[in-house]
Amino acid sequence: MDDTRWARARAQTQRFLPVMALAVVAVLAAACETNLPQSTTVIEGSHNATLWVPYRMVFILAAIVFVAVMALTVIFSITYRERPGRTARQFHGNTRLEIVWTLIPIIIVTLISVPTVNAIVAEAQPIAANALRVDAIGHQWWFEFVYLDEKVTTANELHIPEGREVAFNLKSVDVIHSFWVPQLAGKTDMVPGHVNDIKFTALRARPEPYLGQCAEFCGTSHANMRFRVFVHTEADFAAWLKSAAANGANPASALEKQGQEIFMRSACIGCHTVQGSAAAGKVGPDLTHVGSRTTIGSGILVNTPETLEKWIANSADVKPGSKMPPMAKSDGGALSKEEITAVAAYLSGLK
Ligand SMILES: [Cu+2]
């Protein structure tokens, strides 16, 4: 290279240095926040605790390899580079070096295999005798949870006790979904026509729920397919289970009564269940206690009478691709604003 090209190369490198420095700072700053709801390094469940051991080891070893390879690349690029008065150097064949860089990966893989095999064995244990057994079923685009021994069905909000194993059968009624609660467990696919399983014990009860998310692209509203996991003390969980097993509440006001009448004579009852009523559909979420949920639309809207009205009027407006058609009268005509308000009041009252 002549001197002008060297000068140009140096100027270009210097121009990019601040940008590269900024990128490094941005990456480091992003790593400062560690308690994000979707962080898999926050260990709140036994499944994550088991996986954390090999996960951490692989991460540390990969980081060491990355830094070593990058450092050597930079050192060699500078030391043996072409520059005025000297040509770049190439080396061929070195038996000692080749033995070293064959042995290093063998040692690394052997180290990783120990906690990996331990984790596989730990996960393959049979489910505990006192485990809570739940069918988790993926739908486009929501989650259904059926408590097998308690005959309780919920949607998008899972309630479990702390310190007790929960054993899930993972299923799907349409396409492949994936069950993932980053701080507790997952990901494991929910495959149509095949039952997968996952089990975990939540380590502690806490007031705020854990966020769950479908982790396998499943169509238009995949990103809107979320759920929440509430971890209770054993006593609070027993109380929740008791209320969840009860029939849908009776309307408490004239408006709720009017809403119930409209609901029961509409197409709603072909898809939704309200236990203890004529509504026994199995296509959409069980609505027996929909009023007690914190969110609607598979975790995308806070549950209020106003958001319920929005959802009933046209769910696809808030959740693209939603399979629930706008609510209509039995003759197919659209509901009036007042009728929608009444139905929302009825559903809000289903605590
Ligand atoms: Cu999905």
Side-chain angles (χ1 to χ4, degrees):
M1 265 201 228
D2 57 46
D3 288 355
T4 356
R5 281 175 64 198
W6 274 110
R8 209 183 309 141
R10 196 173 302 125
Q12 269 173 354
T13 313
Q14 278 166 357
R15 199 172 336 132
F16 281 110
L17 268 180
V19 179
M20 283 159 67
L22 203 65
V24 170
V25 170
V27 169
L28 291 177
C32 288
E33 174 62 77
T34 53
N35 195 22
L36 295 170
Q38 295 207 321
S39 169
T40 49
T41 61
V42 178
I43 309 300
E44 298 277 347
S46 62
H47 186 255
N48 274 18
T50 306
L51 297 192
W52 177 237
V53 184
Y55 183 123
R56 183 179 45 191
M57 181 186 258
V58 170
F59 181 83
I60 291 171
L61 289 171
I64 293 170
V65 170
F66 176 79
V67 170
V69 169
M70 285 300 137
L72 289 175
T73 306
V74 171
I75 290 167
F76 289 169
S77 309
I78 293 169
T79 313
Y80 300 110
R81 76 190 190 280
E82 185 181 295
R83 55 194 134 162
R86 205 185 72 183
T87 49
R89 292 176 65 190
Q90 283 280 340
F91 299 90
H92 290 283
N94 185 315
T95 310
R96 196 182 298 165
L97 263 181
E98 284 179 17
I99 290 173
V100 169
W101 68 52
T102 304
L103 276 179
I104 291 175
I106 290 175
I107 294 169
I108 291 176
V109 172
T110 309
L111 283 175
I112 291 171
S113 70
V114 176
T116 304
V117 171
N118 277 342
I120 291 170
V121 171
E123 285 302 307
Q125 296 303 311
I127 63 172
N130 71 339
L132 180 70
R133 299 188 312 128
V134 178
D135 269 2
I137 305 156
H139 299 251
Q140 281 176 318
W141 287 272
W142 58 283
F143 288 90
E144 181 175 20
F145 301 110
V146 182
Y147 294 71
L148 296 174
D149 299 316
E150 291 80 7
K151 309 271 179 294
V152 165
T153 301
T154 67
N156 307 318
E157 295 197 353
L158 175 71
H159 293 255
I160 59 173
E162 66 175 349
R164 184 168 145 207
E165 188 171 282
V166 189
F168 294 90
N169 299 313
L170 303 178
K171 304 174 178 179
S172 169
V173 298
D174 37 46
V175 299
I176 301 177
H177 303 279
S178 184
F179 178 93
W180 189 36
V181 196
Q183 298 190 351
L184 292 173
K187 326 161 171 171
T188 305
D189 277 0
M190 311 168 103
V191 182
H194 173 83
V195 181
N196 272 339
D197 57 78
I198 190 169
K199 56 184 171 6
F200 68 88
T201 305
L203 302 181
R204 65 186 177 107
R206 69 173 202 190
E208 68 276 21
Y210 294 95
L211 289 186
Q213 164 86 50
C214 175
E216 176 72 45
F217 180 70
C218 56
T220 316
S221 259
H222 162 64
N224 295 322
M225 186 170 163
R226 305 170 202 169
F227 63 105
R228 280 167 170 70
V229 183
F230 295 82
V231 182
H232 303 283
T233 61
E234 196 60 66
D236 286 352
F237 175 69
W240 175 82
L241 207 52
K242 194 164 169 239
S243 65
N247 283 343
N250 288 322
S253 68
L255 186 67
E256 288 183 19
K257 179 99 192 97
Q258 184 199 350
Q260 183 190 39
E261 282 163 14
I262 300 166
F263 183 91
M264 292 301 166
R265 61 169 190 257
S266 304
C268 311
I269 60 171
C271 291
H272 296 285
T273 291
V274 176
Q275 231 163 254
S277 79
K282 294 285 177 206
V283 180
D286 186 301
L287 298 179
T288 309
H289 300 288
V290 65
S292 66
R293 288 182 205 142
T294 60
T295 58
I296 59 165
S298 196
I300 61 166
L301 292 175
V302 175
N303 187 4
T304 66
E306 294 72 36
T307 54
L308 271 170
E309 282 180 32
K310 235 174 161 179
W311 183 264
I312 295 163
N314 190 4
S315 62
D317 278 351
V318 278
K319 187 167 178 177
S322 167
K323 306 229 163 176
M324 189 180 106
M327 193 178 159
K329 292 184 187 170
S330 45
D331 63 3
L335 291 187
S336 70
K337 173 91 185 63
E338 288 68 33
E339 287 168 318
I340 289 176
T341 304
V343 174
Y346 164 59
L347 295 177
S348 289
L350 290 174
K351 299 278 188 199

